[in-house]
Amino acid sequence: MVDFSAPAHIVAPQLLGCYVTHRGVTIRLTEVEAYLGAEDPAAHTYNGKTARNAAMFGPPGRFYVYLSYGIHFNGNIVCAPEGTGQGCLMRGGEVVEGIELARERRQAKNRKPIVDENLARGPGNLGRALGLDLADNGTEVQLTLREDEPEWVAGPRIGISRNVDAPYRFWIPGDKTVSTPRGYPKKKA
């Protein structure tokens, strides 16, 4: 069960292994990051409610979609009590239904075919595979619960400059759809 009314760092590991369905594609979540609103300097909602982040202050269990770097639509699942501005960024997942549609959305013309494990690897790729756009901001997330809790680990989030050491990134270890943190030392075998 996912308790969307709980704080983001509690909800995040509950989302691992769950399925998000949107516009004909279903993705099993393998990596998420928690953002804790006013107590988290890395959160879009740290400085309060704006027109851009208003969906994060809305009811839990809904999308907060934003444009990243002017090209990627990233999706968060709003959680915690309404008005708190918390959410979980969907960072990576496995496309389990609608794979051809996800590939069509992701595949650039005249480029080498994208391998299945990379279709929803990274928040921008996941958003594109699902067909997310700003019109989805504030809409209800269609989530199917997992059957069993997967093994998971937590560590620092990726690609942020504030509150970098907070262990709010959660992922299924060894899953090929999980992002590779750039700039982090590779683990030795």
Side-chain angles (χ1 to χ4, degrees):
M1 181 175 125
V2 177
D3 179 8
F4 289 118
S5 67
H9 67 291
I10 303 298
V11 173
Q14 294 174 8
L15 291 171
L16 294 173
C18 291
Y19 301 86
V20 174
T21 301
H22 190 71
R23 292 198 175 125
V25 172
T26 299
I27 293 176
R28 179 181 65 90
L29 294 175
T30 59
E31 179 183 15
V32 295
E33 288 181 346
Y35 289 89
L36 281 80
E39 62 186 78
D40 182 358
H44 286 185
T45 55
Y46 180 67
N47 291 318
K49 189 175 181 179
T50 65
R52 179 187 186 213
N53 70 20
M56 281 278 271
F57 290 90
R62 297 185 180 260
F63 281 121
Y64 162 54
V65 179
Y66 65 94
L67 187 61
S68 177
Y69 299 110
I71 54 173
H72 300 293
F73 290 107
N74 291 352
N76 290 256
I77 299 175
V78 177
C79 54
E82 190 168 347
T84 60
Q86 295 190 28
C88 297
L89 172 66
M90 299 182 295
R91 279 204 60 85
E94 173 191 12
V95 179
V96 296
E97 289 182 16
I99 197 161
E100 290 309 316
L101 183 54
R103 186 178 312 288
E104 187 178 298
R105 290 173 178 158
R106 286 270 294 112
Q107 187 66 53
K109 290 183 169 122
N110 304 319
R111 297 290 228 162
K112 186 175 165 181
I114 298 170
V115 296
D116 292 354
E117 65 197 43
N118 290 338
L119 286 172
R121 185 178 188 208
N125 294 335
L126 189 148
R128 182 167 287 164
L130 285 175
L132 289 176
D133 63 32
L134 294 179
D136 298 311
N137 210 13
T139 63
E140 194 168 345
V141 175
Q142 185 179 344
L143 187 79
T144 303
L145 299 179
R146 62 191 182 203
E147 291 184 19
D148 298 307
E149 180 178 4
E151 176 186 347
W152 57 270
V153 293
R157 295 174 290 197
I158 300 173
I160 59 172
S161 59
R162 297 180 179 157
N163 205 12
V164 295
D165 294 326
Y168 294 149
R169 177 176 167 247
F170 302 85
W171 70 95
I172 297 173
D175 194 294
K176 292 181 179 183
T177 64
V178 172
S179 303
T180 303
R182 291 182 177 89
Y184 285 78
K186 293 188 178 190
K187 292 182 180 178
K188 295 181 181 179

